[in-house]
Amino acid sequence: MMFSNSLDRLARFCSILGGLVMTAIMLMTCYSLISRNLFDSALIGDFELTGVGAGAAIALFMPLCQLKHENIIVDFFTANRSEAFNFRLDRLGDLLMAVIFSLLAWRCTAAAINAVDTMGASMLLGFPDWIVFTSMAIPFGITALIAVNQMASRFNSNDKACA
């Protein structure tokens, strides 16, 4: 499809961003542990930031995971089926992934809007909740677009598999 290259670049950018977030979490955790054990001083809110960062990183890894079809696939029941049957099943899987990630993006967006309206924030640091939900909604939306693109492009390029 015409969005393939853009979605590919966007998925890879999200993955790099997710890696940077995980690296920041790791560095913060190391600092917190060293500070706590050697200097008897704690980094306030490190658990909150770890949760926020981990949620964002997981969401940021999902577009590349979908792009590469690296989701868990159990082919025990489909290994002996025809190529056409597996093709249709894979297209159904792409459709379901698009629906699921569209719903996740929608609900995260709704939660972000609600968090802005209610001024929701974390308990210790007062970290705004809308940032957390937005950091998940955007990659989930990108993942849904990738799944739709994969479903559509495979129908166009692999019509012979359905014959």
Side-chain angles (χ1 to χ4, degrees):
M1 299 271 327
M2 65 181 174
F3 298 116
S4 293
N5 289 337
S6 299
L7 289 174
D8 182 78
R9 279 189 238 120
L10 202 51
R12 292 179 193 287
F13 175 74
C14 284
S15 183
I16 290 168
L17 197 56
L20 291 173
V21 169
M22 290 301 291
T23 302
I25 291 171
M26 184 265 313
L27 291 172
M28 180 195 62
T29 302
C30 289
Y31 173 80
S32 180
L33 288 172
I34 291 169
S35 174
R36 192 172 297 163
N37 290 317
L38 295 180
F39 306 113
D40 231 7
S41 90
L43 180 63
I44 305 297
D46 58 344
F47 289 101
E48 287 181 358
L49 291 174
T50 299
V52 167
I58 290 168
L60 285 164
F61 290 135
M62 292 312 296
L64 189 62
C65 182
Q66 178 63 36
L67 183 75
K68 292 180 167 252
H69 282 259
E70 296 294 329
N71 300 305
I72 296 173
I73 297 173
V74 180
D75 61 354
F76 179 76
F77 297 108
T78 60
N80 296 327
R81 304 291 274 174
S82 71
E83 187 178 331
F85 177 82
N86 286 331
F87 176 81
R88 288 185 193 103
L89 201 57
D90 286 344
R91 296 310 57 76
L92 178 63
D94 288 336
L95 174 65
L96 291 175
M97 291 299 279
V99 169
I100 289 167
F101 278 101
S102 294
L103 290 172
L104 285 169
W106 166 54
R107 292 313 303 159
C108 285
T109 302
I113 292 168
N114 185 47
V116 168
D117 291 343
T118 61
M119 295 183 350
S122 66
M123 213 152 108
L124 291 175
L125 294 176
F127 192 80
D129 287 339
W130 70 267
I131 295 173
V132 177
F133 293 118
T134 304
S135 72
M136 295 171 72
I138 294 169
F140 287 160
I142 294 168
T143 305
L145 287 174
I146 290 170
V148 167
N149 187 56
Q150 288 173 331
M151 184 180 62
S153 66
R154 289 202 181 141
F155 273 125
N156 292 337
S157 65
N158 290 326
D159 287 335
K160 62 180 170 41
C162 288

